[in-house]
Amino acid sequence: MDLLSRNIDILSSNHNHKIGMPESSEVTQAVFSVDDDGNEVLVTQDQTFILKSEFDKSYRSNPLKRELIFVIGIYSVEEIRQLIQKKGDESLLVIIEPNSAFFNYTLHHNDLSFIQSSAAVLFADKVSELPLFLDEFLLSNAIFYLKTIKFYFTYYYREHDLSSSVDIVRIIKEVVQYKTLMYGNSVEDSLIGFRHHMKNLKHLPRSKDVSLLKNAMRNIPAIVVSAGPSLNKNIKQLQSMKDKSLIIAVDTIAQRLCNEGIIPDFICSIERGIETYTYFYEGKSYPVESTLVGPLVLYPEVFNEFPGEIVIPMREKVGEFIWLKEILGLKDDYSISIGLSCAHVAFGVAEHIGASPIILIGQDLAYGDSAKETHAGGTIYDDKELTSSMFAEIQSFETEGYYGGTVATTEIWNAFRTWFEMEIANKQLHVINATEGGAKIANTEQLSLADVEAQYCQTNVKPVSEILKGIALYPLEQQQIKQAIREQYKYFLDIKMQFEYQRKQVRRQRINEHSTEKDLKEALKKIDRTEDYFRIVLDSWLLRHCLQPAMINSVWNLYDIERVVNPVNVMQAREVNLGFLDIGVYALSEIVSILEATAEAL
């Protein structure tokens, strides 16, 4: 078998690699040759670069720790081989090659068996595809390595192409920040959400069946109305568009739309706090033509008091919802993409019902003309004292603007933007950003709302209230739900007792700086059995959801301990594992109590 065929076989054996179609112009314009001094050189666009495989001696890895190492560039295979020799056995390696010419040359001329032997993952595609690759990659155990990330730049990228290196590092940091935010809720916060889930469970049988809503409004234009400050200049135009498109509003702006005579077809919520109910629902008189869309996590009074139809979607790839679907026997597509904000919920509704194009307005994801301008007028944020207190401690930074240049944004708004960009790219959606201000959202077409109306909103559409009359409710009965909750109560009670037993075993390990190596190894053996309880958490979708912040933090801390048996390391491992078990027992006690109360209330 020739080298190329062998390399193709090696790369084909791992589905985690991401290999894109090569850029033909990049490949044809690059010429690899040897100069008069015997150096390998790259000639491209009238520039000549000397290529070396020279290991960066300033790079420091710790073979005694578990690290996630991103290598930029695959051409210098000797450098990568040296790096593999220096890294720890349990460290992860991701090789990123954004240049088609380098990948193509390496594929034909270098033995890539080191990729297979080191279990490295290769990304060889356009940099624009990197966020989606990382999003998928970090769904694996790689999520546990986020606090031990290292970067290594091969010779060409550190000497000749720093701009590509900087872009790659920026993207990795943005995705890591986004993922950390996604997994960052506290255990107590997750348990508050679980309490709301169980209190709202009684409403599920009266919700429209989300699986039957899939593509129910296919190719109808949908306007997702958010509450960014730019909405002030084009909200009036919705008057002439309201019957010729679907209006999907976030809860923040719903009342103002109603005041303007623009009745939202859907009002979308996500926040669990009482503030959402107080600000956007309590005392409001929304028309029955509007349908509420929100997950079970909402503050219970929102569902209790809303006058119109309700739609309660499950949440994609979130453990609590996967658990609920499993115990209730819901096998169809009851999920929508919910993301991190009510604007994401609204967008997920538009995508789920098959609307197209999806038109964004008020989706600034940035401040207006000043740091005091955070939202459109006619909302709770007109209270400047409230706005000042909410945003006083939030640091802003610059990002690319809708009209070019830069605009001021925040970390959370930037995470919201990242979600939109990945969702649009991943699902190949036709999305028009008609916000006419704020931050630029990649993968969208930018049009004014007037142009959107002229091109897409000239024909009346069937009222959503009529469409919903033909949609059945969830196929659930109250007694069925009650029985499922009782069974889960018994299941988690047993797991709680297992956690309590392991916690007792770890607490009994009395070790100090004078402990012998034999005692340390014996203690570590018992302490390390806690890893079985990490697996118990990973095997239960509900526990994974409620305990993943604590588990990820514990594993991060464990991975930061050198793999050497000495008193300091063993005592540190004991405290980290004991901390996880303490939180586990607490969370399981709460889960058991909530399930017991829910079964009695149903």
Side-chain angles (χ1 to χ4, degrees):
M1 183 183 293
D2 61 28
L3 180 63
L4 176 61
S5 299
R6 190 163 70 247
N7 282 339
I8 290 174
D9 281 351
I10 288 169
L11 296 179
S12 300
S13 67
N14 187 345
H15 69 276
N16 292 320
H17 297 315
K18 175 71 168 69
I19 313 296
M21 290 296 293
E23 290 283 346
S24 56
S25 60
E26 211 169 45
V27 173
T28 55
Q29 290 175 14
V31 177
F32 294 86
S33 61
V34 178
D35 66 12
D36 295 338
D37 296 323
N39 297 312
E40 207 160 15
V41 296
L42 165 67
V43 181
T44 179
Q45 296 178 344
D46 298 325
Q47 289 184 293
T48 301
F49 302 100
I50 294 177
L51 300 176
K52 295 182 181 179
S53 195
E54 188 174 279
F55 192 79
D56 183 0
K57 294 180 181 178
S58 67
Y59 175 77
R60 295 287 180 270
S61 63
N62 190 336
L64 301 176
K65 288 187 178 182
R66 290 169 279 199
E67 299 174 330
L68 172 55
I69 306 169
F70 288 99
V71 177
I72 317 301
I74 197 173
Y75 174 86
S76 303
V77 294
E78 288 306 317
E79 287 185 70
I80 301 175
R81 287 195 182 102
Q82 286 189 57
L83 184 67
I84 290 170
Q85 291 174 0
K86 294 175 182 292
K87 77 177 184 66
D89 292 339
E90 296 180 75
S91 290
L92 302 181
L93 195 68
V94 179
I95 303 168
I96 297 173
E97 180 52 79
N99 188 304
S100 300
F102 278 124
F103 175 67
N104 186 61
Y105 181 86
T106 304
L107 193 64
H108 284 81
H109 296 91
N110 290 306
D111 181 2
L112 297 181
S113 58
F114 68 90
I115 290 179
Q116 192 171 42
S117 61
S118 64
V121 177
L122 172 64
F123 172 89
D125 204 348
K126 296 185 288 293
V127 173
S128 60
E129 296 295 318
L130 185 56
L132 290 176
F133 164 78
L134 293 171
D135 187 53
E136 189 69 26
F137 176 68
L138 292 174
L139 289 174
S140 68
N141 284 348
I143 192 70
F144 297 131
Y145 290 73
L146 290 190
K147 287 197 175 177
T148 55
I149 288 178
K150 290 285 185 69
F151 292 95
Y152 181 86
F153 306 96
T154 54
Y155 180 85
Y156 173 81
Y157 284 98
R158 68 178 184 264
E159 294 294 330
H160 303 303
D161 194 359
L162 280 176
S163 62
S164 292
S165 302
V166 169
D167 284 345
I168 290 168
V169 170
R170 176 185 56 78
I171 290 170
I172 291 171
K173 287 188 174 180
E174 278 189 3
V175 174
V176 166
Q177 199 171 48
Y178 165 72
K179 281 293 187 182
T180 303
L181 185 65
M182 287 283 286
Y183 288 102
N185 288 341
S186 68
V187 171
E188 184 55 50
D189 190 51
S190 296
L191 289 171
I192 290 171
F194 181 60
R195 290 187 192 99
H196 287 187
H197 265 75
M198 294 298 99
K199 285 184 178 179
N200 287 327
L201 204 52
K202 63 185 179 183
H203 296 293
L204 202 54
R206 74 179 183 94
S207 162
K208 290 295 183 179
D209 186 326
V210 175
S211 70
L212 299 179
L213 283 169
K214 184 74 173 177
N215 293 324
M217 300 166 214
R218 193 172 185 82
N219 294 327
I220 298 175
I223 303 176
V224 174
V225 188
S226 298
S230 294
L231 185 64
N232 289 326
K233 63 186 175 187
N234 56 16
I235 190 171
K236 296 290 185 183
Q237 193 164 342
L238 289 177
Q239 289 281 2
S240 59
M241 303 173 71
K242 61 183 180 181
D243 298 323
K244 301 176 178 66
S245 62
L246 306 176
I247 305 294
I248 307 177
V250 301
D251 49 21
T252 321
I253 203 66
Q255 185 63 63
R256 180 175 176 194
L257 288 175
C258 290
N259 293 343
E260 299 274 356
I262 304 162
I263 307 304
D265 294 300
F266 296 99
I267 298 173
C268 302
S269 284
I270 191 173
E271 296 295 339
R272 68 197 66 188
I274 189 174
E275 294 82 6
T276 295
Y277 165 68
T278 303
Y279 293 158
F280 309 129
Y281 292 96
E282 187 178 26
K284 301 292 189 295
S285 54
Y286 292 123
V288 293
E289 293 88 352
S290 293
T291 296
L292 171 67
V293 182
L296 288 168
V297 76
L298 297 186
Y299 190 74
E301 292 307 311
V302 175
F303 287 121
N304 290 338
E305 297 179 6
F306 194 80
E309 298 279 11
I310 63 171
V311 173
I312 302 177
M314 301 296 170
R315 193 169 184 173
E316 281 186 333
K317 299 177 182 178
V318 173
E320 192 169 14
F321 292 87
I322 298 172
W323 166 79
L324 189 60
K325 286 170 63 178
E326 285 181 352
I327 70 167
L328 297 180
L330 298 173
K331 300 185 186 303
D332 293 328
D333 185 4
Y334 296 97
S335 298
I336 70 169
S337 297
I338 287 179
L340 301 164
S341 72
C342 52
H344 291 163
V345 177
F347 187 90
V349 170
E351 182 273 322
H352 185 78
I353 63 178
S356 184
I358 300 172
I359 302 136
L360 306 178
I361 66 171
Q363 195 57 66
D364 291 61
L365 300 171
Y367 291 102
D369 293 333
S370 72
K372 293 181 180 179
E373 194 177 3
T374 61
H375 291 76
T379 69
I380 187 66
Y381 298 100
D382 287 344
D383 182 344
K384 297 306 178 186
E385 186 176 336
L386 171 68
T387 306
S388 296
S389 64
M390 290 180 67
F391 287 85
E393 301 301 322
I394 298 177
Q395 290 189 337
S396 64
F397 61 94
E398 299 295 309
T399 191
E400 185 178 0
Y402 184 93
Y403 291 116
T406 61
V407 293
T409 188
T410 68
E411 184 178 304
I412 187 70
W413 286 339
N414 202 50
F416 291 172
R417 178 185 58 78
T418 300
W419 184 91
F420 278 118
E421 292 174 347
M422 289 197 292
E423 189 72 11
I424 295 165
N426 193 36
K427 297 186 176 175
Q428 296 295 295
L429 303 173
H430 180 195
V431 179
I432 299 171
N433 187 359
T435 296
E436 301 181 49
K440 183 180 178 66
I441 301 174
N443 308 319
T444 65
E445 177 186 2
Q446 290 190 180
L447 289 176
S448 69
L449 195 57
D451 287 340
V452 169
E453 181 175 14
Q455 292 184 40
Y456 299 101
C457 303
Q458 292 297 305
T459 306
N460 282 9
V461 301
K462 187 176 181 179
V464 169
S465 56
E466 290 186 23
I467 297 174
L468 290 180
K469 287 177 183 177
I471 303 294
L473 304 179
Y474 267 102
L476 292 169
E477 295 180 1
Q478 207 83 348
Q479 192 56 39
Q480 170 196 353
I481 298 174
K482 187 182 184 79
Q483 182 59 33
I485 295 300
R486 280 178 172 168
E487 291 173 0
Q488 291 300 299
Y489 162 75
K490 295 174 185 176
Y491 173 76
F492 285 106
L493 181 61
D494 179 64
I495 292 179
K496 172 178 170 282
M497 294 170 66
Q498 293 179 48
F499 265 71
E500 288 174 335
Y501 174 79
Q502 176 61 11
R503 181 173 67 171
K504 189 181 296 183
Q505 296 302 307
V506 174
R507 277 182 175 167
R508 284 176 176 170
Q509 305 313 306
R510 304 297 180 189
I511 48 179
N512 55 50
E513 62 272 17
H514 303 298
S515 298
T516 65
E517 184 177 354
K518 179 182 178 182
D519 290 339
L520 291 173
K521 286 183 177 179
E522 186 62 32
L524 188 60
K525 183 178 178 181
K526 293 178 180 177
I527 292 167
D528 279 350
R529 286 178 189 152
T530 304
E531 289 195 13
D532 294 338
Y533 294 81
F534 290 134
R535 294 190 192 97
I536 289 175
V537 172
L538 290 173
D539 288 342
S540 165
W541 285 110
L542 179 59
L543 282 184
R544 183 187 292 202
H545 177 77
C546 291
L547 278 173
Q548 70 184 6
M551 182 175 70
I552 288 173
N553 191 58
S554 295
V555 175
W556 281 346
N557 291 332
L558 285 173
Y559 281 15
D560 205 35
I561 301 172
E562 292 186 345
R563 306 290 281 172
V564 176
V565 178
N566 60 40
V568 172
N569 289 346
V570 175
M571 286 190 289
Q572 193 175 347
R574 177 185 181 275
E575 292 310 306
V576 171
N577 282 292
L578 192 56
F580 167 72
L581 292 166
D582 282 340
I583 293 173
V585 170
Y586 163 72
L588 281 160
S589 298
E590 291 294 304
I591 289 170
V592 166
S593 175
I594 292 167
L595 289 171
E596 184 178 30
T598 303
E600 291 176 0
L602 285 170

